[in-house]
Amino acid sequence: EVQLVESGGGLVRTGGSLRLSCAASGLSYDDYAIGWFRQAPGNDNVRISCISIIDGATYYEESVQGRFTISSDKTKNTVYLQMNNRKPEDTAVYYCALVPNSGGSSYICPSAQDYWGQGTRVTVSS
């Protein structure tokens, strides 16, 4: 069974940096995509960044572009999200999700029906 575990959340001051990790296990395929999502209290779950493992294609939501960087280590089945210049608006629970790219599919971002981790909380203080 596919399992995703997020780590790296915590408290950071405005302008500081955090690096989140999403480690996948139980995989039976080589091609997949992993995305990062976040949900603040009272707000919708928002897709912020995704990466395709095979071709390296990426997606960034406009509010984080230039501050966040997504990367992957295929040998470890792990995706990272480097978050620089953190703002109070970045406070949220961060989730990662995975979608297989089997059968000729070429997804960059997962969706709600795909595999999800349990989330890690990030708080940005002023």
Side-chain angles (χ1 to χ4, degrees), residues 64-100:
V64 306
Q65 193 163 11
R67 298 189 298 126
F68 293 6
T69 302
I70 191 169
S71 62
S72 64
D73 185 343
K74 187 177 180 180
T75 63
K76 298 181 179 179
N77 291 325
T78 299
V79 167
Y80 306 97
L81 186 67
Q82 179 68 40
M83 306 182 293
N84 298 327
N85 192 24
R86 297 284 295 184
K87 302 177 180 179
E89 307 89 85
D90 296 325
T91 295
V93 176
Y94 286 70
Y95 300 89
C96 68
L98 181 150
V99 57

mmCIF file of all heavy atoms in Angstrom, residues 64-100:
data_model
loop_
_atom_site.group_PDB
_atom_site.id
_atom_site.type_symbol
_atom_site.label_atom_id
_atom_site.label_comp_id
_atom_site.label_asym_id
_atom_site.label_seq_id
_atom_site.Cartn_x
_atom_site.Cartn_y
_atom_site.Cartn_z
ATOM 1 N N VAL A 64 3.292 31.587 -4.386
ATOM 2 C CA VAL A 64 4.530 31.052 -3.823
ATOM 3 C C VAL A 64 5.674 31.057 -4.826
ATOM 4 O O VAL A 64 6.827 30.815 -4.444
ATOM 5 C CB VAL A 64 4.329 29.619 -3.283
ATOM 6 C CG1 VAL A 64 3.173 29.583 -2.302
ATOM 7 C CG2 VAL A 64 4.106 28.628 -4.416
ATOM 8 N N GLN A 65 5.410 31.326 -6.071
ATOM 9 C CA GLN A 65 6.451 31.324 -7.093
ATOM 10 C C GLN A 65 7.505 32.380 -6.770
ATOM 11 O O GLN A 65 7.188 33.526 -6.463
ATOM 12 C CB GLN A 65 5.845 31.576 -8.472
ATOM 13 C CG GLN A 65 6.788 31.289 -9.620
ATOM 14 C CD GLN A 65 6.059 31.150 -10.947
ATOM 15 O OE1 GLN A 65 4.874 31.467 -11.047
ATOM 16 N NE2 GLN A 65 6.745 30.677 -11.960
ATOM 17 N N GLY A 66 8.766 31.969 -6.831
ATOM 18 C CA GLY A 66 9.862 32.846 -6.480
ATOM 19 C C GLY A 66 10.311 32.717 -5.042
ATOM 20 O O GLY A 66 11.420 33.154 -4.701
ATOM 21 N N ARG A 67 9.480 32.134 -4.190
ATOM 22 C CA ARG A 67 9.826 31.926 -2.785
ATOM 23 C C ARG A 67 10.006 30.446 -2.453
ATOM 24 O O ARG A 67 10.846 30.101 -1.626
ATOM 25 C CB ARG A 67 8.753 32.500 -1.862
ATOM 26 C CG ARG A 67 8.561 34.001 -1.983
ATOM 27 C CD ARG A 67 7.634 34.514 -0.890
ATOM 28 N NE ARG A 67 6.297 33.939 -0.981
ATOM 29 C CZ ARG A 67 5.676 33.309 0.021
ATOM 30 N NH1 ARG A 67 6.272 33.168 1.191
ATOM 31 N NH2 ARG A 67 4.449 32.839 -0.151
ATOM 32 N N PHE A 68 9.192 29.596 -3.068
ATOM 33 C CA PHE A 68 9.230 28.159 -2.799
ATOM 34 C C PHE A 68 9.874 27.432 -3.971
ATOM 35 O O PHE A 68 9.717 27.830 -5.128
ATOM 36 C CB PHE A 68 7.820 27.597 -2.594
ATOM 37 C CG PHE A 68 7.109 28.085 -1.362
ATOM 38 C CD1 PHE A 68 7.644 29.072 -0.557
ATOM 39 C CD2 PHE A 68 5.879 27.536 -1.013
ATOM 40 C CE1 PHE A 68 6.988 29.526 0.579
ATOM 41 C CE2 PHE A 68 5.209 27.974 0.119
ATOM 42 C CZ PHE A 68 5.756 28.963 0.906
ATOM 43 N N THR A 69 10.578 26.341 -3.674
ATOM 44 C CA THR A 69 11.180 25.509 -4.700
ATOM 45 C C THR A 69 10.884 24.047 -4.401
ATOM 46 O O THR A 69 11.147 23.574 -3.296
ATOM 47 C CB THR A 69 12.699 25.712 -4.779
ATOM 48 O OG1 THR A 69 12.991 27.089 -5.048
ATOM 49 C CG2 THR A 69 13.288 24.858 -5.894
ATOM 50 N N ILE A 70 10.343 23.341 -5.383
ATOM 51 C CA ILE A 70 10.070 21.921 -5.232
ATOM 52 C C ILE A 70 11.173 21.132 -5.931
ATOM 53 O O ILE A 70 11.653 21.521 -6.998
ATOM 54 C CB ILE A 70 8.677 21.554 -5.783
ATOM 55 C CG1 ILE A 70 8.290 20.133 -5.374
ATOM 56 C CG2 ILE A 70 8.610 21.734 -7.294
ATOM 57 C CD1 ILE A 70 6.829 19.794 -5.652
ATOM 58 N N SER A 71 11.591 20.036 -5.328
ATOM 59 C CA SER A 71 12.625 19.189 -5.902
ATOM 60 C C SER A 71 12.364 17.744 -5.510
ATOM 61 O O SER A 71 11.557 17.465 -4.616
ATOM 62 C CB SER A 71 14.020 19.631 -5.444
ATOM 63 O OG SER A 71 14.147 19.524 -4.036
ATOM 64 N N SER A 72 13.048 16.825 -6.174
ATOM 65 C CA SER A 72 12.828 15.409 -5.909
ATOM 66 C C SER A 72 14.145 14.657 -5.842
ATOM 67 O O SER A 72 15.140 15.043 -6.461
ATOM 68 C CB SER A 72 11.935 14.785 -6.979
ATOM 69 O OG SER A 72 12.561 14.809 -8.249
ATOM 70 N N ASP A 73 14.150 13.590 -5.073
ATOM 71 C CA ASP A 73 15.249 12.639 -5.020
ATOM 72 C C ASP A 73 14.640 11.283 -5.331
ATOM 73 O O ASP A 73 14.081 10.629 -4.450
ATOM 74 C CB ASP A 73 15.923 12.644 -3.654
ATOM 75 C CG ASP A 73 17.154 11.755 -3.615
ATOM 76 O OD1 ASP A 73 17.324 10.900 -4.498
ATOM 77 O OD2 ASP A 73 17.969 11.927 -2.679
ATOM 78 N N LYS A 74 14.734 10.878 -6.585
ATOM 79 C CA LYS A 74 14.080 9.658 -7.027
ATOM 80 C C LYS A 74 14.610 8.427 -6.308
ATOM 81 O O LYS A 74 13.862 7.486 -6.037
ATOM 82 C CB LYS A 74 14.236 9.494 -8.546
ATOM 83 C CG LYS A 74 13.450 8.342 -9.128
ATOM 84 C CD LYS A 74 13.585 8.292 -10.635
ATOM 85 C CE LYS A 74 12.789 7.130 -11.211
ATOM 86 N NZ LYS A 74 12.906 7.076 -12.695
ATOM 87 N N THR A 75 15.903 8.412 -5.980
ATOM 88 C CA THR A 75 16.491 7.265 -5.308
ATOM 89 C C THR A 75 15.904 7.053 -3.920
ATOM 90 O O THR A 75 15.922 5.935 -3.399
ATOM 91 C CB THR A 75 18.015 7.402 -5.202
ATOM 92 O OG1 THR A 75 18.353 8.532 -4.393
ATOM 93 C CG2 THR A 75 18.628 7.576 -6.580
ATOM 94 N N LYS A 76 15.393 8.106 -3.314
ATOM 95 C CA LYS A 76 14.791 8.023 -1.988
ATOM 96 C C LYS A 76 13.271 8.096 -2.018
ATOM 97 O O LYS A 76 12.637 8.052 -0.960
ATOM 98 C CB LYS A 76 15.321 9.142 -1.093
ATOM 99 C CG LYS A 76 16.815 9.096 -0.850
ATOM 100 C CD LYS A 76 17.252 10.235 0.059
ATOM 101 C CE LYS A 76 18.736 10.189 0.328
ATOM 102 N NZ LYS A 76 19.172 11.316 1.209
ATOM 103 N N ASN A 77 12.695 8.209 -3.214
ATOM 104 C CA ASN A 77 11.250 8.388 -3.358
ATOM 105 C C ASN A 77 10.748 9.522 -2.471
ATOM 106 O O ASN A 77 9.723 9.398 -1.795
ATOM 107 C CB ASN A 77 10.501 7.085 -3.047
ATOM 108 C CG ASN A 77 10.737 6.014 -4.087
ATOM 109 O OD1 ASN A 77 10.868 6.301 -5.274
ATOM 110 N ND2 ASN A 77 10.780 4.760 -3.649
ATOM 111 N N THR A 78 11.480 10.621 -2.505
ATOM 112 C CA THR A 78 11.192 11.748 -1.631
ATOM 113 C C THR A 78 11.137 13.045 -2.427
ATOM 114 O O THR A 78 11.947 13.262 -3.330
ATOM 115 C CB THR A 78 12.252 11.873 -0.525
ATOM 116 O OG1 THR A 78 12.256 10.677 0.268
ATOM 117 C CG2 THR A 78 11.958 13.059 0.385
ATOM 118 N N VAL A 79 10.177 13.878 -2.089
ATOM 119 C CA VAL A 79 10.042 15.207 -2.677
ATOM 120 C C VAL A 79 10.170 16.241 -1.571
ATOM 121 O O VAL A 79 9.650 16.058 -0.467
ATOM 122 C CB VAL A 79 8.704 15.351 -3.424
ATOM 123 C CG1 VAL A 79 8.421 16.809 -3.765
ATOM 124 C CG2 VAL A 79 8.724 14.516 -4.696
ATOM 125 N N TYR A 80 10.865 17.327 -1.879
ATOM 126 C CA TYR A 80 11.110 18.380 -0.917
ATOM 127 C C TYR A 80 10.441 19.672 -1.360
ATOM 128 O O TYR A 80 10.268 19.931 -2.545
ATOM 129 C CB TYR A 80 12.609 18.637 -0.758
ATOM 130 C CG TYR A 80 13.400 17.403 -0.411
ATOM 131 C CD1 TYR A 80 14.049 16.674 -1.408
ATOM 132 C CD2 TYR A 80 13.498 16.957 0.896
ATOM 133 C CE1 TYR A 80 14.773 15.537 -1.099
ATOM 134 C CE2 TYR A 80 14.212 15.824 1.212
ATOM 135 C CZ TYR A 80 14.856 15.116 0.213
ATOM 136 O OH TYR A 80 15.569 13.986 0.532
ATOM 137 N N LEU A 81 10.086 20.483 -0.396
ATOM 138 C CA LEU A 81 9.586 21.816 -0.666
ATOM 139 C C LEU A 81 10.387 22.793 0.180
ATOM 140 O O LEU A 81 10.205 22.863 1.399
ATOM 141 C CB LEU A 81 8.093 21.935 -0.354
ATOM 142 C CG LEU A 81 7.450 23.268 -0.733
ATOM 143 C CD1 LEU A 81 7.427 23.442 -2.250
ATOM 144 C CD2 LEU A 81 6.033 23.369 -0.172
ATOM 145 N N GLN A 82 11.301 23.513 -0.468
ATOM 146 C CA GLN A 82 12.078 24.539 0.202
ATOM 147 C C GLN A 82 11.273 25.825 0.207
ATOM 148 O O GLN A 82 10.911 26.337 -0.854
ATOM 149 C CB GLN A 82 13.417 24.751 -0.507
ATOM 150 C CG GLN A 82 14.301 25.821 0.116
ATOM 151 C CD GLN A 82 14.827 25.424 1.476
ATOM 152 O OE1 GLN A 82 15.193 24.268 1.680
ATOM 153 N NE2 GLN A 82 14.869 26.361 2.404
ATOM 154 N N MET A 83 10.999 26.344 1.389
ATOM 155 C CA MET A 83 10.143 27.509 1.538
ATOM 156 C C MET A 83 10.961 28.644 2.145
ATOM 157 O O MET A 83 11.306 28.603 3.326
ATOM 158 C CB MET A 83 8.932 27.179 2.410
ATOM 159 C CG MET A 83 8.145 25.966 1.926
ATOM 160 S SD MET A 83 6.673 25.625 2.921
ATOM 161 C CE MET A 83 7.441 25.145 4.470
ATOM 162 N N ASN A 84 11.264 29.646 1.340
ATOM 163 C CA ASN A 84 12.038 30.797 1.776
ATOM 164 C C ASN A 84 11.146 32.021 1.903
ATOM 165 O O ASN A 84 10.040 32.065 1.358
ATOM 166 C CB ASN A 84 13.169 31.076 0.790
ATOM 167 C CG ASN A 84 14.150 29.938 0.674
ATOM 168 O OD1 ASN A 84 14.411 29.226 1.648
ATOM 169 N ND2 ASN A 84 14.712 29.757 -0.512
ATOM 170 N N ASN A 85 11.657 33.021 2.602
ATOM 171 C CA ASN A 85 10.936 34.281 2.781
ATOM 172 C C ASN A 85 9.504 34.031 3.235
ATOM 173 O O ASN A 85 8.549 34.520 2.631
ATOM 174 C CB ASN A 85 10.961 35.091 1.481
ATOM 175 C CG ASN A 85 10.485 36.517 1.674
ATOM 176 O OD1 ASN A 85 10.537 37.062 2.778
ATOM 177 N ND2 ASN A 85 10.001 37.133 0.599
ATOM 178 N N ARG A 86 9.376 33.280 4.301
ATOM 179 C CA ARG A 86 8.060 32.898 4.794
ATOM 180 C C ARG A 86 7.273 34.112 5.269
ATOM 181 O O ARG A 86 7.822 35.053 5.855
ATOM 182 C CB ARG A 86 8.192 31.897 5.937
ATOM 183 C CG ARG A 86 8.854 30.585 5.519
ATOM 184 C CD ARG A 86 7.903 29.704 4.729
ATOM 185 N NE ARG A 86 6.791 29.266 5.537
ATOM 186 C CZ ARG A 86 5.841 28.414 5.130
ATOM 187 N NH1 ARG A 86 5.893 27.904 3.913
ATOM 188 N NH2 ARG A 86 4.860 28.074 5.937
ATOM 189 N N LYS A 87 5.969 34.074 5.008
ATOM 190 C CA LYS A 87 5.042 35.128 5.398
ATOM 191 C C LYS A 87 3.982 34.561 6.331
ATOM 192 O O LYS A 87 3.697 33.371 6.292
ATOM 193 C CB LYS A 87 4.373 35.729 4.159
ATOM 194 C CG LYS A 87 5.336 36.302 3.135
ATOM 195 C CD LYS A 87 4.586 36.808 1.917
ATOM 196 C CE LYS A 87 5.539 37.379 0.884
ATOM 197 N NZ LYS A 87 4.812 37.860 -0.323
ATOM 198 N N PRO A 88 3.374 35.408 7.174
ATOM 199 C CA PRO A 88 2.298 34.914 8.044
ATOM 200 C C PRO A 88 1.171 34.238 7.271
ATOM 201 O O PRO A 88 0.546 33.310 7.791
ATOM 202 C CB PRO A 88 1.807 36.183 8.748
ATOM 203 C CG PRO A 88 3.000 37.078 8.771
ATOM 204 C CD PRO A 88 3.712 36.811 7.472
ATOM 205 N N GLU A 89 0.916 34.664 6.048
ATOM 206 C CA GLU A 89 -0.121 34.064 5.223
ATOM 207 C C GLU A 89 0.192 32.619 4.852
ATOM 208 O O GLU A 89 -0.690 31.901 4.370
ATOM 209 C CB GLU A 89 -0.331 34.875 3.934
ATOM 210 C CG GLU A 89 -0.596 36.354 4.161
ATOM 211 C CD GLU A 89 0.691 37.158 4.214
ATOM 212 O OE1 GLU A 89 1.194 37.548 3.137
ATOM 213 O OE2 GLU A 89 1.187 37.405 5.333
ATOM 214 N N ASP A 90 1.434 32.178 5.047
ATOM 215 C CA ASP A 90 1.821 30.804 4.756
ATOM 216 C C ASP A 90 1.455 29.838 5.869
ATOM 217 O O ASP A 90 1.656 28.627 5.722
ATOM 218 C CB ASP A 90 3.329 30.710 4.501
ATOM 219 C CG ASP A 90 3.769 31.477 3.268
ATOM 220 O OD1 ASP A 90 3.014 31.532 2.287
ATOM 221 O OD2 ASP A 90 4.893 32.019 3.296
ATOM 222 N N THR A 91 0.956 30.339 6.984
ATOM 223 C CA THR A 91 0.549 29.480 8.088
ATOM 224 C C THR A 91 -0.584 28.564 7.643
ATOM 225 O O THR A 91 -1.627 29.030 7.181
ATOM 226 C CB THR A 91 0.105 30.315 9.296
ATOM 227 O OG1 THR A 91 1.223 31.055 9.793
ATOM 228 C CG2 THR A 91 -0.433 29.428 10.404
ATOM 229 N N ALA A 92 -0.372 27.259 7.778
ATOM 230 C CA ALA A 92 -1.355 26.288 7.309
ATOM 231 C C ALA A 92 -0.873 24.885 7.655
ATOM 232 O O ALA A 92 0.261 24.689 8.088
ATOM 233 C CB ALA A 92 -1.565 26.402 5.793
ATOM 234 N N VAL A 93 -1.749 23.916 7.453
ATOM 235 C CA VAL A 93 -1.347 22.519 7.449
ATOM 236 C C VAL A 93 -0.963 22.162 6.022
ATOM 237 O O VAL A 93 -1.740 22.394 5.092
ATOM 238 C CB VAL A 93 -2.463 21.595 7.954
ATOM 239 C CG1 VAL A 93 -2.036 20.135 7.852
ATOM 240 C CG2 VAL A 93 -2.813 21.941 9.397
ATOM 241 N N TYR A 94 0.226 21.614 5.841
ATOM 242 C CA TYR A 94 0.740 21.273 4.523
ATOM 243 C C TYR A 94 0.630 19.772 4.296
ATOM 244 O O TYR A 94 1.051 18.972 5.137
ATOM 245 C CB TYR A 94 2.197 21.711 4.379
ATOM 246 C CG TYR A 94 2.355 23.204 4.208
ATOM 247 C CD1 TYR A 94 2.102 24.073 5.269
ATOM 248 C CD2 TYR A 94 2.739 23.745 2.983
ATOM 249 C CE1 TYR A 94 2.230 25.441 5.114
ATOM 250 C CE2 TYR A 94 2.875 25.113 2.822
ATOM 251 C CZ TYR A 94 2.620 25.958 3.886
ATOM 252 O OH TYR A 94 2.755 27.314 3.729
ATOM 253 N N TYR A 95 0.063 19.399 3.160
ATOM 254 C CA TYR A 95 -0.122 18.010 2.790
ATOM 255 C C TYR A 95 0.625 17.703 1.500
ATOM 256 O O TYR A 95 0.746 18.563 0.630
ATOM 257 C CB TYR A 95 -1.603 17.688 2.545
ATOM 258 C CG TYR A 95 -2.512 17.912 3.723
ATOM 259 C CD1 TYR A 95 -3.124 19.144 3.937
ATOM 260 C CD2 TYR A 95 -2.784 16.877 4.613
ATOM 261 C CE1 TYR A 95 -3.973 19.352 5.011
ATOM 262 C CE2 TYR A 95 -3.633 17.075 5.689
ATOM 263 C CZ TYR A 95 -4.223 18.313 5.880
ATOM 264 O OH TYR A 95 -5.070 18.507 6.942
ATOM 265 N N CYS A 96 1.103 16.478 1.366
ATOM 266 C CA CYS A 96 1.582 16.021 0.077
ATOM 267 C C CYS A 96 0.670 14.911 -0.430
ATOM 268 O O CYS A 96 0.005 14.222 0.347
ATOM 269 C CB CYS A 96 3.040 15.559 0.127
ATOM 270 S SG CYS A 96 3.374 14.055 1.071
ATOM 271 N N ALA A 97 0.628 14.766 -1.746
ATOM 272 C CA ALA A 97 -0.200 13.758 -2.388
ATOM 273 C C ALA A 97 0.544 13.195 -3.580
ATOM 274 O O ALA A 97 1.432 13.837 -4.136
ATOM 275 C CB ALA A 97 -1.544 14.354 -2.822
ATOM 276 N N LEU A 98 0.164 11.985 -3.994
ATOM 277 C CA LEU A 98 0.842 11.281 -5.074
ATOM 278 C C LEU A 98 -0.168 10.711 -6.049
ATOM 279 O O LEU A 98 -1.187 10.143 -5.643
ATOM 280 C CB LEU A 98 1.720 10.163 -4.501
ATOM 281 C CG LEU A 98 2.544 9.316 -5.473
ATOM 282 C CD1 LEU A 98 3.825 8.834 -4.797
ATOM 283 C CD2 LEU A 98 1.746 8.118 -5.991
ATOM 284 N N VAL A 99 0.127 10.852 -7.341
ATOM 285 C CA VAL A 99 -0.677 10.238 -8.385
ATOM 286 C C VAL A 99 0.233 9.398 -9.272
ATOM 287 O O VAL A 99 1.265 9.892 -9.745
ATOM 288 C CB VAL A 99 -1.437 11.299 -9.217
ATOM 289 C CG1 VAL A 99 -0.487 12.319 -9.835
ATOM 290 C CG2 VAL A 99 -2.274 10.621 -10.297
ATOM 291 N N PRO A 100 -0.087 8.119 -9.485
ATOM 292 C CA PRO A 100 0.709 7.308 -10.414
ATOM 293 C C PRO A 100 0.527 7.796 -11.845
ATOM 294 O O PRO A 100 -0.553 8.243 -12.228
ATOM 295 C CB PRO A 100 0.142 5.897 -10.236
ATOM 296 C CG PRO A 100 -0.601 5.927 -8.945
ATOM 297 C CD PRO A 100 -1.124 7.327 -8.818
#
